[in-house]
Amino acid sequence: MVSKKVFEELDKLRVALRKHNRLYHVLDDPEISDAEYDVLFAKLLEIERQYPELVTENSPSHRVGAERLDAFETVEHRSPMLSLDKCTSTSELIDWETRALKYLGQQQALVYTCEPKIDGVAVSLFYAKGELVSAATRGDGRAGEGILANVRTIAAIPLVLSGDNTPREIEIRGEIYMPIAGFNKFNSQAQSQGKKLLVNPRNGAAGSLRQLDSRITAARPLTMYCYSAGYYSADWQPKSHWDVLMQLKAWGLRVNQETQRVTGIDACTNYIDKILARRDALAYEIDGIVIKSDSLEIQQKLGVLTRSPRWAIAYKYPSQEATTELLSVDFQVGRTGAITPVARLEPVFVGGVTVSSASLHNIGEIRRLNLRLGDKVLLRRAGDVIPKIVKALGDNDSNVNIEGFEGSSAENMINLPDLCPSCGTSIVLAADEAIARCPAGLQCPDQRRESIRHFASRLAMDIDGMGDRIVELLIEQELVETFSDLYALEVSQVAQLERMGEKSAENLIQAIEASKSTTLARFIYALGIREVGEATAVNLAAYFGDISALKNADLEQLVRVEDVGEIVAANIMEYFSNQSAWLDIERLRQAGIYWPDIQAKTAHQPLQGQIWVLTGKLTEMPRAKAKAALQQLGAKVASAVSSQTDCLVAGEKAGSKLSKAQSLGIKIIDEAEMLNFLGRESARQA
Ligand code: IVH
């Protein structure tokens, strides 16, 4: 006999778990921590383990599917799942309204709801007595595939509706989709594991729902926005579409908060423009806006054409995908010698612009995509993202495009050239690497050009007016070969360049002169050492204080700098081991490039020569600020604790660095002590 207490406890747990599940997944507003949720969940599992007879289909424990299907059953929809009429311009939208008003014999503006048209998979959920009993895809509109086991794994979909006013039966419609962040994360994982990538979030959602093993679905980042009710029993009588949405929300379903109720078509076009402007910032992909007449009575009057209702229309945005043809592949040489294949495409309009080329990143990408010249390809340009070939269309599978592979024909194969397209040096492709490189460094004209462009760029030496074209001309005319050559240029030399007058030449020379006053961090960044970006350059400058110290640093010293791992350290050492690179740096110094001596900035430097490490969470002062303050006082701030460390500042939840410092007997202070010390020192300075 199961005691009443157990029943009550079980019920309480299920109610609580449903509530917290909804707060977290539907309302984005959790009230308890994940750990607290886990405790409740574990309690439920424990009771269900003890009393298996009390386990119900819709218990919160029953989400993660263990079911394996052989095929999807057919599920008939109680009311058909319609599709939408489409339009792509304001005038078409106005025509649609005009037709509707005429049909209604009415002149007065209509009330509409405007909703983003989510790019996912249309799904119908069937709830009986508030419990989810079936879920199906749209199929042919009359019947679809039963995907309940998979749908149950989606945390944002309630297994039981909340509230005591749920109708006896209801079909709830909406779109299951994969948020962009989840899609990107999935793909970057798949890429690093050499697995197949998802083409777009919509395919990601569709593929996830089509799994026969619902454990796979459970591991995919899926969620749902509900946008209408299909059939519902007569014990529910909503008056407007807006009421429907508000009620769905109250029952615990996710409803898009961008949805708006407006009056008149002008307000709709405003909405369309406003959402389009924010399209790239949304957390999900949309392909347009759905506009629906809000009153259910008017919907009823307007009725349905063959497949789509007269009371709704989809305004389509420009597509973010298009198919085009791969015409040729060029190989370009980047600043660091990386050989980048660039696809030349039959121009195509996608994501609001015309695209005629797309980077293929590296030869590995060509192999992954199994691309051949002349292929039809699927091009995607979502958000402000650069266009990307996501797929070769057609049957390339039996025709793998690697040299020597059976089935590949010589003419349409894309092969890495043997020689650098810029300087003719043999290209190097390490066996385990996807990136091929020209090893010629600054001897290679393209690398030279890109290096000098980088050197002069805004975040580096910031030479105003030194555009790409001018760099190209200076190199073509053999006026510049190395960085230091820039500082030897004369007005007369620059003035004779194409489209350069005396005046602009003077300006450029002045800008070159002005760039001499810089910072060590900018200078390090300008050198273009592989994988040394601005942030790393700042850390290196702060740590070493001058360029010779950086040049002479060994691996052990370099990896102590924040952000610097062994690969970056090796790149730095390789850079400075190059005689001519160092010679050019010396010439630059002689030409008058200077930066304020970081160490000399503050006269009073009580921490001169000391190495400090910050660890854990600082709550009072941002870490970057603390670091700068310590550096001001002469300290070097390192990222790892070693026997060289003088002091460790341990913030909240400090971990391994703290224990290491303890074991090495290094001085340890907390944030408050550090602040005290900094406060006293700044008082002294003042
Ligand atoms: S209303 C009669 N609202 O767009 C009403 N559809 O052809 C039919 N879709 O695949 C649907 N977001 O899944 C509606 N807010 C939204 C929508 C939406 C996306 C999809 C729907 C269907 C297609 C309509």
Side-chain angles (χ1 to χ4, degrees):
M1 245 311 263
V2 183
S3 75
K4 194 166 157 239
K5 222 180 120 223
V6 173
F7 270 115
E8 283 172 2
E9 172 73 9
L10 194 61
D11 197 49
K12 239 174 65 193
L13 281 170
R14 286 178 181 160
V15 168
L17 283 163
R18 277 181 197 127
K19 172 181 151 188
H20 292 300
N21 194 59
R22 179 178 172 211
L23 283 166
Y24 186 90
H25 290 284
V26 181
L27 302 173
D28 246 343
D29 186 20
E31 280 176 4
I32 59 173
S33 69
D34 292 3
E36 286 166 310
Y37 183 90
D38 291 345
V39 169
L40 293 178
F41 200 83
K43 278 191 191 156
L44 174 71
L45 288 183
E46 179 51 29
I47 297 180
E48 290 186 347
R49 194 187 58 78
Q50 275 186 42
Y51 305 97
E53 67 273 29
L54 299 185
V55 177
T56 58
E57 267 280 287
N58 280 333
S59 167
S61 62
H62 263 52
R63 278 196 181 272
V64 188
E67 275 172 79
R68 238 208 97 84
L69 304 173
D70 290 327
F72 298 109
E73 48 163 352
T74 302
V75 172
E76 276 190 35
H77 304 305
R78 291 283 186 98
S79 74
M81 284 183 84
L82 301 171
S83 65
L84 291 170
D85 225 4
K86 299 175 183 60
C87 69
T88 51
S89 68
T90 308
S91 64
E92 285 173 284
L93 193 62
I94 293 170
D95 290 348
W96 168 75
E97 180 185 54
T98 312
R99 282 198 303 276
L101 290 174
K102 193 169 158 207
Y103 196 90
L104 294 167
Q106 162 176 343
Q107 252 140 57
Q108 205 181 323
L110 293 176
V111 175
Y112 301 103
T113 58
C114 304
E115 308 165 12
K117 187 169 180 297
I118 310 287
D119 215 357
V121 179
V123 166
S124 184
L125 309 172
F126 190 76
Y127 286 88
K129 295 199 191 112
E131 295 209 18
L132 180 64
V133 291
S134 145
T137 59
R138 179 170 178 274
D140 61 6
R142 190 192 51 78
E145 287 181 321
I147 51 166
L148 180 63
N150 290 341
V151 162
R152 293 168 65 94
T153 68
I154 300 172
I157 299 176
L159 301 179
V160 177
L161 299 179
S162 17
D164 47 18
N165 62 341
T166 48
R168 201 166 35 77
E169 290 180 327
I170 182 169
E171 281 180 317
I172 293 171
R173 266 84 195 256
E175 202 83 355
I176 291 182
Y177 67 93
M178 189 177 275
I180 296 170
F183 165 78
N184 288 339
K185 195 167 154 203
F186 182 93
N187 266 359
S188 62
Q189 260 171 19
Q191 177 118 41
S192 66
Q193 294 166 0
K195 291 193 183 145
K196 232 176 136 173
L197 304 195
L198 303 172
V199 166
N200 56 33
R202 174 170 32 83
N203 282 25
S208 303
L209 289 176
R210 229 184 287 114
Q211 298 295 328
L212 290 168
D213 181 348
S214 60
R215 280 170 304 183
I216 299 180
T217 316
R220 301 282 174 88
L222 297 179
T223 183
M224 180 173 188
Y225 271 138
C226 295
Y227 50 67
S228 71
Y231 164 82
Y232 44 88
S233 46
D235 49 349
W236 185 40
Q237 309 248 323
K239 294 272 174 290
S240 68
H241 178 59
W242 187 261
D243 286 353
V244 170
L245 295 179
M246 292 308 113
Q247 186 54 256
L248 295 184
K249 210 158 130 181
W251 285 330
L253 295 147
R254 280 181 88 234
V255 172
N256 195 332
Q257 65 200 30
E258 303 289 349
T259 305
Q260 267 181 26
R261 181 155 61 167
V262 303
T263 304
I265 215 75
D266 283 352
C268 294
T269 54
N270 261 338
Y271 180 90
I272 289 169
D273 294 345
K274 247 179 33 207
I275 298 286
L276 180 59
R278 288 178 40 228
R279 185 184 191 182
D280 298 343
L282 297 175
Y284 41 83
E285 295 216 321
I286 61 174
D287 57 354
I289 299 294
V290 184
I291 305 202
K292 299 170 185 168
S293 149
D294 185 53
S295 152
L296 296 187
E297 195 191 327
I298 290 182
Q299 285 192 6
Q300 191 74 38
K301 279 190 193 156
L302 285 168
V304 172
L305 284 150
T306 7
R307 286 177 56 249
S308 50
R310 278 197 199 85
W311 47 264
I313 192 160
Y315 184 100
K316 298 275 278 184
Y317 286 151
S319 170
Q320 297 183 316
E321 279 175 13
T323 58
T324 185
E325 194 186 328
L326 176 62
L327 302 176
S328 61
V329 173
D330 288 347
F331 288 87
Q332 292 181 346
V333 192
R335 175 165 61 80
T336 58
I339 306 286
T340 307
V342 178
R344 303 296 173 202
L345 303 163
E346 183 64 39
V348 63
F349 190 70
V350 59
V353 299
T354 300
V355 172
S356 56
S357 62
S359 172
L360 285 163
H361 308 291
N362 54 55
I363 195 78
E365 178 79 351
I366 294 179
R367 292 186 182 160
R368 188 181 71 73
L369 292 168
N370 192 11
L371 271 190
R372 290 172 304 177
L373 296 179
D375 273 350
K376 281 262 170 291
V377 292
L378 181 66
L379 188 72
R380 190 175 143 78
R381 183 181 172 276
D384 47 5
V385 174
I386 45 169
K388 189 173 159 58
I389 293 180
V390 286
K391 203 175 155 70
L393 301 168
D395 178 25
N396 268 6
D397 287 351
S398 57
N399 214 351
V400 177
N401 182 34
I402 297 173
E403 202 164 6
F405 217 93
E406 217 178 322
S408 49
S409 77
E411 311 88 76
N412 57 13
M413 273 193 3
I414 303 160
N415 289 320
L416 185 68
D418 295 331
L419 305 178
C420 170
S422 173
C423 67
T425 306
S426 290
I427 286 174
V428 182
L429 175 62
D432 54 345
E433 265 207 61
I435 299 174
R437 285 180 197 281
C438 162
L442 290 183
Q443 307 303 315
C444 168
D446 280 9
Q447 288 182 62
R448 193 183 307 148
R449 185 190 63 226
E450 292 309 308
S451 299
I452 291 174
R453 274 181 188 166
H454 172 79
F455 183 84
S457 66
R458 202 172 53 79
L459 298 171
M461 299 303 284
D462 192 20
I463 305 179
D464 205 21
M466 179 75 83
D468 288 358
R469 181 71 195 133
I470 293 179
V471 173
E472 211 164 297
L473 289 171
L474 289 171
I475 290 178
E476 253 173 41
Q477 307 275 314
E478 296 181 1
L479 290 170
V480 170
E481 213 169 283
T482 65
F483 301 147
S484 62
D485 291 341
L486 289 171
Y487 294 88
L489 284 172
E490 285 168 17
V491 175
S492 58
Q493 291 174 308
V494 176
Q496 47 91 25
L497 295 177
E498 195 183 293
R499 270 186 279 153
M500 262 293 193
E502 189 79 15
K503 186 71 202 145
S504 22
E506 268 168 29
N507 288 344
L508 187 62
I509 296 294
Q510 236 166 48
I512 293 174
E513 190 59 30
S515 77
K516 285 182 179 172
S517 156
T518 183
T519 64
L520 178 57
R522 275 176 175 274
F523 185 74
I524 294 172
Y525 173 65
L527 296 176
I529 304 168
R530 211 193 286 174
E531 283 171 66
V532 175
E534 302 150 60
T536 309
V538 168
N539 292 339
L540 289 167
Y543 192 94
F544 291 103
D546 81 272
I547 196 79
S548 316
L550 176 61
K551 179 199 179 221
N552 296 326
D554 59 17
L555 188 84
E556 202 189 328
Q557 280 176 303
L558 285 166
V559 294
R560 271 193 227 131
V561 179
E562 206 164 322
D563 277 353
V564 177
E566 292 198 0
I567 295 180
V568 177
N571 289 341
I572 296 170
M573 295 192 337
E574 190 192 315
Y575 184 89
F576 286 106
S577 70
N578 178 340
Q579 284 278 337
S580 50
W582 180 248
L583 213 69
D584 203 43
I585 291 175
E586 286 186 324
R587 273 195 230 114
L588 284 164
R589 296 286 270 164
Q590 279 155 21
I593 293 208
Y594 69 97
W595 47 83
D597 193 343
I598 296 178
Q599 310 286 318
K601 241 195 263 167
T602 314
H604 175 65
Q605 294 205 307
L607 302 183
Q608 175 68 52
Q610 292 192 17
I611 297 178
W612 284 50
V613 175
L614 297 166
T615 189
K617 188 170 154 44
L618 300 185
T619 54
E620 298 291 315
M621 182 183 260
R623 182 183 273 260
K625 201 168 161 198
K627 188 172 153 188
L630 293 168
Q631 284 166 345
Q632 277 279 321
L633 297 173
K636 288 181 178 181
V637 179
S639 58
V641 172
S642 73
S643 57
Q644 313 278 315
T645 310
D646 292 285
C647 182
L648 178 82
V649 180
E652 274 176 20
K653 294 195 187 132
S656 60
K657 289 183 198 173
L658 177 57
S659 25
K660 183 157 184 202
Q662 281 163 340
S663 71
L664 290 170
I666 284 161
K667 179 177 160 191
I668 298 163
I669 63 173
D670 63 13
E671 183 179 2
E673 287 173 85
M674 177 191 74
L675 291 172
N676 258 329
F677 169 73
L678 292 176
R680 277 199 311 274
E681 287 303 326
S682 79
R684 280 189 58 160
Q685 309 264 334

